[in-house]
Amino acid sequence: MNPILEALVKSVGILVVALAGFAYMTWVERKFISRLQARIGPNRAGPFGLLQPVADGIKLIFKESITPANADVLVYFLAPVVAVIPALVLFAVIPFGSDPAFQLASNINVGALYVMAVLGVGIYGMILAGWSSNNKYALLGGLRASAQVISYELGLGLAVLSVIMMASSASLNDIVAYQQPGNILGWLIFRQPVAAVIFAITALAELARAPFDLVEAEQELTAGFMTEYGGMKFALFYMSEYVKMIGMSALFVTFFLGGWSGPFVNEAPVLSLVYFAIKVLACLLVMVWVRATLPRFRYDKLMGFGWKVLLPVGLVNVVVTALLIVAGVPGYK
Amino acid sequence: MSITDKVVAVVTKIPVGFATVLKTLFRKPVTVQYPEQTKPMSARFRGRHHLKRYDDGLEKCIGCALCAAACPADAIYVEAAENTNEERYSPGERYAKTYEINMLRCIFCGYCEDACPTNAIVLEPIEFPTGYTRDGMIYVKDMLLEPPPAGAPATPQQTPAGKYDRAILPFPPITD
Amino acid sequence: MSPDFLLFLIIALVAVAAALGMLFSRSALYAALFLITNFGAVAVLYLLLNAPFLAVVQVSVYAGAIMVLFLFVIMLLGAERLGREPEAAAMRWQRPLAIVLAVVLIVQAVYVFATRASAVPAVAQAIDAGPLNIGKTLINSYLLPFEVIAIVLLAAMIGAVVLTRDK
Ligand code: SF4
Ligand code: SF4
């Protein structure tokens, strides 16, 4: 097949899966968190509330499109788009399965760095939305978002760096291959537990999800940077959040849970897709579980935690990993 | 709190929280599926208003508008008219010709109930006012008035002269 | 005209337009946005030169981290609303100086372009700009500048910490 055509087909496929995943992730989250709180959750629209995302979508489409007075109209309309694109682009390098047919660009040798770059750019949507809405809640939400993301990106980078050092490659394919598909003990979470924990925590912060959802802390900031957004523009922000959640889970799986690996992958490559999906879903459920359990951080504590705990621990982890690799400790080379 | 204490606390206590939340997963949901299921309501619950009648079918309301005066939300509108022996609605001199409650304004405080000298208006734990239009949320007298008790005639009634000269029946059978 | 060259032309146009936009926009925030666009375009140029590592670093460090900080400061200070006043008299000397410097830069750029333009693609082909190679070059050939920069940055960091410390 023509490579451009092939890439196009795959991109469309990823987009469709990501959007469907977004729609049904909202349902999964609401259902699961309800059960964690001894509630039932959505159950009116369709069996088990399965049509709830459709109903929500229809509702949002028919909402009035409002522009706040004195808003910076161009930036105001651009911000949701700027928020969504990085979330979707993130999927380009993730190896969804063992077969090259299940990958778009997982082979590029800077995959992990690409991820960091995309995540770094992903924050602009929030900042611009906060600034352009001409609303103090939104502005404060945007400011918090930028400060939080800059602080936690460092920890995230250090966690990813440990992984790259272990696999001695920044290509996500190599990282998966390094984790010895077929052997659960090969997963990096067992050899890099500290990096895995740091990655998990900073990923939550990067996603601005509970307990790091200060960006949209209802009690203080109404809806934070989204305060002035409604209808489809709001839906785009919502979409970027959930798509990023899925993307982050996919990255965690790739970095620490052996990616698509699992038994009988060589015999039936389709299984690798299934394993990958199951692992991602497990990560997403853990995220919801965290949201149901932990209260929100106080803002200064959040910054303190990022700079005074995660960053030093991450640095020490990198140094220790380097020492172990150089010393040739079994399992570390 | 020293740093080791903190670390120990984090490592030992946070998992407890996670476990507690996870245990809830296996608990029966407490949700009540409202329109299909309802929870038993207290007998004193202040639901929607009812205008009561005496056992002989006459309306208790005498159109004094004290309820309207007492209402903090200004939700009640009463217009009184004179009773005659040929066309009698209530025992007293006057009755409520128009009686309207705007359920959108009402805050279900029950002050109208307290203010009523004849116990004519009562908030009962049945039937919540709902509707799709603003007009439909204004409950007029026909909607509020209870049907006459079994065997008793409806209002207006024809009554013998001199029987009803007091606002409240001499030995009022106040049961509600 | 090869598709690469066409791509280069488009991206270069975007980069130049964004740079001009940054210079001439009145609002500090728009200027920052133009600068981000410019960084993005330059990152694509790196990609065209077969240097994906540099491209990614350009995006993640400049567009991702530094510009977020810029925006943060602009928004925090409300600086996007400044800049309407006519420039202060004390800054008179800036203009001639800027013109002189600009002329020097342009002459230099034209000279380099005219004498070496043909060499650029060949260089791009020859260099392996992967992370491994860049790391090796940094540590081997440019160890001294690398360490000097590290110390300067460390000093800046310590300075920032000291300045923000509570008494
Ligand atoms: S319940 Fe209170 S608010 Fe409602 S009509 Fe009676 S007095 Fe007014
Ligand atoms: S309901 Fe009671 S207070 Fe209100 S007008 Fe009738 S008699 Fe008077």
Side-chain angles (χ1 to χ4, degrees), chain B residues 51 60-68 76 78 96 99 112 115-121:
Chain B
L51 283 173
K60 285 188 177 175
C61 175
I62 53 171
C64 68
L66 283 176
C67 50
I76 307 185
V78 185
Y99 194 101
C112 45
C116 182
T118 61
N119 279 357
I121 188 153

Coordinates of all heavy atoms in Angstrom, one line a residue, chain B residues 51 60-68 76 78 96 99 112 115-121, ligand 2:
Chain B
L51 N -57.0 22.1 50.0 CA -58.1 22.8 50.7 C -59.1 21.8 51.2 O -59.7 21.1 50.4 CB -58.7 23.8 49.7 CG -57.9 25.1 49.4 CD1 -58.6 25.9 48.3 CD2 -57.7 25.9 50.7
K60 N -63.8 24.6 54.2 CA -63.4 25.2 55.4 C -62.9 26.6 55.2 O -62.9 27.5 56.1 CB -62.2 24.4 56.0 CG -62.7 23.1 56.7 CD -61.6 22.4 57.4 CE -62.0 21.2 58.2 NZ -60.9 20.4 58.8
C61 N -62.4 26.9 54.0 CA -61.8 28.2 53.7 C -62.9 29.3 53.7 O -63.9 29.1 53.1 CB -61.1 28.2 52.4 SG -60.5 29.8 51.9
I62 N -62.6 30.4 54.5 CA -63.6 31.4 54.5 C -63.1 32.7 53.8 O -63.6 33.8 54.0 CB -63.9 31.8 56.0 CG1 -62.5 32.0 56.8 CG2 -64.7 30.7 56.7 CD1 -62.7 32.6 58.1
G63 N -62.0 32.5 53.0 CA -61.6 33.6 52.2 C -61.0 34.8 53.0 O -61.0 35.9 52.5
C64 N -60.4 34.5 54.1 CA -59.9 35.6 55.0 C -58.5 36.2 54.5 O -58.1 37.2 54.8 CB -59.8 35.2 56.4 SG -58.5 34.0 56.6
A65 N -57.8 35.4 53.6 CA -56.6 35.8 53.1 C -55.4 35.9 54.1 O -54.4 36.6 53.8 CB -56.7 37.1 52.2
L66 N -55.6 35.4 55.3 CA -54.5 35.4 56.2 C -53.4 34.6 55.7 O -52.2 34.9 56.0 CB -55.0 34.8 57.6 CG -55.9 35.8 58.4 CD1 -56.4 35.1 59.6 CD2 -55.1 37.0 58.8
C67 N -53.7 33.5 55.0 CA -52.6 32.7 54.5 C -51.7 33.5 53.5 O -50.5 33.5 53.5 CB -53.1 31.5 53.8 SG -54.5 31.9 52.6
A68 N -52.4 34.3 52.7 CA -51.7 35.2 51.7 C -50.9 36.2 52.4 O -49.7 36.5 52.0 CB -52.7 35.9 50.8
I76 N -49.6 33.2 47.3 CA -51.1 32.9 47.4 C -51.8 34.1 47.0 O -51.5 35.2 47.3 CB -51.5 32.5 48.8 CG1 -50.6 31.3 49.3 CG2 -52.9 32.0 48.9 CD1 -51.0 30.7 50.6
V78 N -55.9 35.3 47.0 CA -57.3 35.0 47.5 C -58.2 36.1 47.1 O -57.9 37.3 47.4 CB -57.3 34.7 49.0 CG1 -58.7 34.2 49.4 CG2 -56.3 33.7 49.4
A96 N -63.8 31.8 49.6 CA -62.8 32.1 48.6 C -63.3 31.9 47.2 O -63.6 30.7 46.8 CB -61.5 31.3 48.8
Y99 N -58.9 31.2 44.5 CA -57.9 30.8 45.4 C -56.7 30.2 44.6 O -56.9 29.1 43.9 CB -58.3 29.7 46.4 CG -57.4 29.6 47.6 CD1 -57.6 30.2 48.8 CD2 -56.2 28.8 47.4 CE1 -56.7 30.1 49.8 CE2 -55.3 28.7 48.4 CZ -55.5 29.3 49.6 OH -54.6 29.2 50.7
C112 N -48.7 29.2 55.6 CA -50.1 29.4 55.3 C -50.9 28.5 56.2 O -52.0 28.9 56.7 CB -50.3 29.1 53.8 SG -49.5 27.6 53.2
A115 N -51.2 29.9 59.6 CA -52.0 31.2 59.7 C -53.5 30.9 59.6 O -54.3 31.7 60.1 CB -51.5 32.1 58.6
C116 N -53.9 29.8 59.0 CA -55.3 29.6 58.7 C -56.1 29.4 59.9 O -55.8 28.6 60.7 CB -55.4 28.4 57.8 SG -57.1 28.2 57.3
P117 N -57.1 30.3 60.1 CA -58.0 30.2 61.3 C -58.9 28.9 61.3 O -59.4 28.5 62.4 CB -58.7 31.5 61.3 CG -58.8 31.9 59.9 CD -57.6 31.4 59.3
T118 N -59.1 28.4 60.2 CA -60.1 27.3 60.1 C -59.4 26.0 59.7 O -60.1 25.0 59.4 CB -61.2 27.6 59.1 OG1 -60.5 27.7 57.8 CG2 -61.9 28.8 59.4
N119 N -58.1 25.9 59.7 CA -57.4 24.7 59.3 C -57.8 24.3 57.9 O -57.9 23.1 57.6 CB -57.7 23.5 60.2 CG -56.8 23.6 61.4 OD1 -56.0 24.5 61.5 ND2 -57.0 22.7 62.3
A120 N -58.1 25.3 57.0 CA -58.6 25.0 55.7 C -57.5 24.5 54.8 O -57.7 23.6 54.0 CB -59.3 26.2 55.1
I121 N -56.3 25.1 54.9 CA -55.3 24.7 54.0 C -54.2 23.8 54.7 O -53.8 24.1 55.8 CB -54.6 25.9 53.4 CG1 -53.7 25.5 52.3 CG2 -53.9 26.8 54.4 CD1 -53.5 26.5 51.2
Ligands
SF4_2 S1 -57.0 29.1 53.5 FE1 -57.3 29.7 55.6 S2 -56.1 31.6 55.8 FE2 -56.3 31.2 53.6 S3 -58.1 32.4 53.0 FE3 -58.8 30.3 53.5 S4 -59.4 30.5 55.6 FE4 -58.1 32.2 55.2

